[in-house]
Amino acid sequence: MLLRVLLFRVFMVVMAFCSATLAVAESGVQVDGAYVREPIPGRYMSAAFMTLNNTSDEDKVLVRAEAEWAGLIEIHTHLHDNGVMRMRQVMELPLPAGEKVSLQPGGLHLMLFKLSLPLADQLPLTLCFSDGSCETITAELRSLR
């Protein structure tokens, strides 16, 4: 009986891995290192960061992101304006074929508004592209400390 339980668990892990690989193959975009910063106490906004690797032979364009735990998600960038860094929303994020685009602090990122607190340690996040494909990934919640 113990052996059956163990084999079932191994099977489920393998199936989960295969499903994740299939999702990457369908969208052509591999997502690595996705995380969400834990919100500042008393605030209902934060940011998500990750690396998007367009493994396909075609350019892709990220047009939106959505999550049940966030009321609104916008794609943002930072611009230097007369020595002052300002955040600005961008309506889409080009992902050239065969290239990586990093969403990182001080640069491109997903701005998360109207958060449902407290946030879980693992956060499902759906990324949607201009070709109509969407990919749901899991972002890790990271503490500010």
Side-chain angles (χ1 to χ4, degrees):
M1 182 66 174
L2 182 60
L3 181 60
R4 281 185 176 176
V5 170
L6 181 61
L7 287 175
F8 179 74
R9 287 184 181 172
V10 169
F11 174 77
M12 293 306 289
V13 168
V14 169
M15 291 305 294
F17 176 76
C18 290
S19 296
T21 303
L22 180 60
V24 169
E26 287 178 10
S27 73
V29 177
Q30 179 182 349
V31 181
D32 295 311
Y35 73 96
V36 170
R37 277 190 178 163
E38 185 176 39
I40 296 170
R43 299 286 179 116
Y44 291 85
M45 63 183 174
S46 188
F49 308 99
M50 65 201 73
T51 299
L52 302 171
N53 183 8
N54 182 354
T55 60
S56 76
D57 294 334
E58 298 179 11
D59 291 347
K60 298 283 186 173
V61 180
L62 178 67
V63 293
R64 75 176 190 281
E66 49 195 44
E68 290 185 15
W69 45 269
L72 175 66
I73 301 177
E74 296 177 353
I75 306 167
H76 277 210
T77 190
H78 280 95
L79 300 174
H80 293 280
D81 184 16
N82 293 323
V84 177
M85 189 178 285
R86 301 180 190 277
M87 275 192 300
R88 293 287 183 253
Q89 180 181 9
V90 294
M91 300 313 292
E92 57 186 35
L93 178 60
L95 306 171
E99 293 188 23
K100 293 181 180 182
V101 176
S102 292
L103 281 65
Q104 58 192 7
L108 292 165
H109 59 280
L110 297 178
M111 196 69 203
L112 313 168
F113 299 98
K114 302 179 184 176
L115 299 177
S116 298
L117 301 178
L119 295 176
D121 291 337
Q122 301 293 311
L123 299 160
L125 177 65
T126 301
L127 306 175
C128 296
F129 304 92
S130 60
D131 63 3
S133 66
C134 292
E135 180 179 343
T136 299
I137 61 153
T138 301
E140 172 189 350
L141 182 64
R142 289 194 187 167
S143 174
L144 292 172
R145 297 172 208 124

